[in-house]
Amino acid sequence: MGNRAVIKRNINLVLQPLLLLLFFLILYFVFNLKTNSYIIAFIASTSILTIISYIFIQKYIVFKPPFKFEKNVLAVGFWAQSGHFIQFLTYRVNFLLIAYFLGKASVGIYSNAVLIGETLWIFGHSLGQIMHLKILNTDSIAFQRKLTLKFTLINLLITASSFLIIYSLPTTFWTQIFSVEFTAIKSLLKPLALGILVFSCSNILNHYFHAQNKFKLIVLTNSIGLAFCLVTAYFLIPLHGLNGAAWAWSIGLSSSMVMYLWLYIFKKDAP
């Protein structure tokens, strides 16, 4: 991303699921390997992508001896990845609570509904990466903030429009794909809508702070979202079942968005 080789990066992202699917189909249907086909396909596709990635980046690699280990690189990497990990927990922690309170069968219904919502975030991730590069290549704070606001509104509009299209699909559409047992998917989209839309905003703000290396703020903000998600899920799931889990997910993402927005408006010079 830093070298603006976005096309090569996107090629890798597209090849990843395609290679995984190809190897899986070959192992499953040609070699009749049922049990470990996915694991082997994952290892094979990842190995090939590693080689392709090296071919793409080798011209950017410059070794200038003597090598000096920089501790600050490790520290920055730790804080950056910690923020992503905490955000990931906010997406997935409900799965464990649903299995505990409602049983494993309910996890499948909920996970498919969440997955449908998360597919709408692809627009925000793409816009956020473009904005991230533009911010890195300008020193104008005013331009950075104007760009962030613009991309946030665009992303919100695209996500909302896409969600309305998906929500307008009849229940029979989902049952034909996932079977009759998954009739609850469309009903879960309504409480998930808040989380889907607010994340479309916080996702862009996350990229804004990430481009400014404010990783500790990202960790703090995502931790608040995770805490709200855990607390509300613990009380709402036993009372309202999968709808309670969906609302807890939305509340967790909303609390993160509120914190991001507060930092963006009032803490312009935060470390």
Side-chain angles (χ1 to χ4, degrees), residues 203-264:
N203 184 29
I204 300 297
L205 295 175
N206 179 290
H207 279 86
Y208 167 76
F209 288 116
H210 195 281
Q212 296 184 335
N213 296 328
K214 295 180 179 179
F215 303 114
K216 292 182 179 180
L217 289 181
I218 294 175
V219 170
L220 173 62
T221 303
N222 291 343
S223 297
I224 291 173
L226 177 59
F228 271 89
C229 182
L230 280 170
V231 172
T232 52
Y234 183 81
F235 290 102
L236 291 179
I237 292 177
L239 292 174
H240 302 287
L242 292 181
N243 281 328
W247 277 115
W249 185 77
S250 290
I251 290 171
L253 294 177
S254 297
S255 61
S256 292
M257 188 276 292
V258 171
M259 185 64 181
Y260 273 125
L261 194 60
W262 184 80
L263 291 170
Y264 176 78

Side-chain angles (χ1 to χ4, degrees), residues 14 18 20 30 37 42 49 63-64 66 102 111 116 125 131 155-156 172 189 196 201 204-205 212 214 217 240 244:
V14 171
L18 292 179
L20 178 60
V30 178
S37 56
F42 177 78
L49 283 172
F63 295 102
K64 294 182 179 180
L102 306 177
S111 63
I116 292 170
H125 288 307
M131 186 194 75
N155 186 31
L156 179 61
T172 53
L189 290 178
I196 294 170
C201 298
I204 300 297
L205 295 175
Q212 296 184 335
K214 295 180 179 179
L217 289 181
H240 302 287

